[in-house]
Amino acid sequence: MTANLWQRFDEYADQIAVKRLNLLTQVAKQFLPAGYWEASLNKQFGTQTKPVHLTFDDGPHPETTPYLLELLEKENIKATFFLIGKQAEKHPELVSQIDKAGHKLGNHSYSHKFLPYLSNKKIEQEIDQASHCILEATGSAPLLFRPPYGLMDKRTAARLAERNLQPIYWSSAPEDWSLPGAERVIRRVCLDLRPGSLIVLHEGKNLAEQTLLAAKEIIYMCKTRNLQLTRVEPTCLTSEHR
Ligand SMILES: [Zn+2]
């Protein structure tokens, strides 16, 4: 009985967490520079498709990337990885493996600093060094950018535009970084899972088991609901996202 009560408490807390995040996202959309907040439902996917993007931030990481790649290959799913430049520099072989497996790579800054606090010069370094690390490992520069902590200002937006990098935000962030456990991460994502969902999970040593379990179940839920997991494509961006 007590266990049931705790379970119900967790479920209720997760519902509140999702509502709070959705509200914050609505507010963020008003203040952050224009970008991509969800998978495009327009006709380029065909009228019957229900795209969902699964994205992984903060890698590559030896404790998560190889296992995620294995899972994605087994499930025949393409995902998008937003890489920290420093991590890419340490593990170029993982960057190359992600790329060769057909997943999309994005720039997540060089050292994951809070960009609004940085000078213009530092912002440029954060963007360019990360792109350089990905270019070195794969032979091509990324076209997608996700700001660390999901926040950036107009100065960063202007520099991304100069470099032909498109800002990618999210629609579903289950706050997995706070280690709530796989079950709660899955529930938070599934409470708001719909055509167009752009889900963000995180890589890293402490998150390895949780991220892998959550990714596995989210993929299963998408398949059960006939949602198509696809990569974020820069060409998907249209004026409706801005
Ligand atoms: Zn991050």
Side-chain angles (χ1 to χ4, degrees):
M1 184 64 186
T2 312
N4 277 343
L5 273 176
W6 277 116
Q7 168 85 8
R8 284 176 59 189
F9 177 79
D10 282 351
E11 285 172 15
Y12 189 55
D14 287 338
Q15 286 171 16
I16 292 172
V18 170
K19 284 189 175 135
R20 182 173 52 81
L21 251 296
N22 284 346
L23 189 65
L24 280 174
T25 302
Q26 291 309 316
V27 174
K29 277 183 185 176
Q30 304 303 313
F31 292 100
L32 290 177
Y36 189 48
W37 288 92
E38 50 189 58
S40 177
L41 301 177
N42 65 24
K43 284 184 180 172
Q44 62 185 300
F45 285 99
T47 48
Q48 298 303 311
T49 58
K50 300 175 182 175
V52 168
H53 298 318
L54 185 54
T55 68
F56 300 99
D57 284 9
D58 296 358
H61 198 289
E63 305 254 3
T64 39
T65 310
Y67 305 102
L68 288 171
L69 290 178
E70 202 177 308
L71 170 69
L72 295 167
E73 188 185 354
K74 188 172 151 234
E75 297 291 342
N76 196 23
I77 297 295
K78 300 298 180 211
T80 306
F81 290 75
F82 288 93
L83 306 182
I84 296 175
K86 264 188 182 174
Q87 287 294 113
E89 205 168 52
K90 260 194 247 173
H91 306 288
E93 73 293 347
L94 292 178
V95 183
S96 170
Q97 280 172 32
I98 299 170
D99 183 53
K100 283 186 178 146
H103 305 294
K104 206 78 188 169
L105 294 171
N107 179 331
H108 193 40
S109 81
Y110 180 70
S111 58
H112 209 274
K113 290 196 173 78
F114 188 63
L115 297 178
Y117 285 172
L118 302 186
S119 67
N120 291 342
K121 194 176 169 205
K122 285 275 180 204
I123 289 171
E124 287 172 8
Q125 284 173 356
E126 283 291 319
I127 298 170
D128 292 338
Q129 285 181 3
S131 283
H132 178 73
C133 294
I134 295 172
L135 174 66
E136 285 283 294
T138 65
S140 48
L143 297 169
L144 310 174
F145 181 88
R146 178 173 276 155
Y149 313 103
L151 290 171
M152 64 181 193
D153 58 21
K154 285 180 181 167
R155 295 174 305 143
T156 298
R159 281 152 183 85
L160 294 179
E162 282 166 14
R163 290 158 174 78
N164 201 25
L165 277 161
Q166 290 178 334
I168 310 296
Y169 300 108
W170 61 86
S171 74
S172 179
E175 297 179 284
D176 58 334
W177 57 82
S178 64
L179 278 169
E183 191 185 335
R184 300 191 67 178
V185 172
I186 294 160
R187 185 159 52 225
R188 289 173 188 179
V189 171
C190 290
L191 276 168
D192 198 30
L193 188 60
R194 56 189 160 73
S197 287
L198 203 173
I199 303 159
V200 52
L201 296 178
H202 288 79
E203 295 202 62
K205 189 179 177 189
N206 296 335
L207 298 164
E209 192 184 347
Q210 178 183 276
T211 296
L212 197 66
L213 283 170
K216 202 171 175 181
E217 187 64 19
I218 290 165
I219 290 168
Y220 172 77
M221 290 304 297
C222 285
K223 288 188 169 178
T224 307
R225 298 184 193 186
N226 202 24
L227 298 166
Q228 286 98 38
L229 282 154
T230 57
R231 317 184 306 178
V232 178
E233 298 288 351
T235 50
C236 294
L237 290 169
T238 66
S239 57
E240 76 192 63
H241 302 112
R242 292 167 187 273

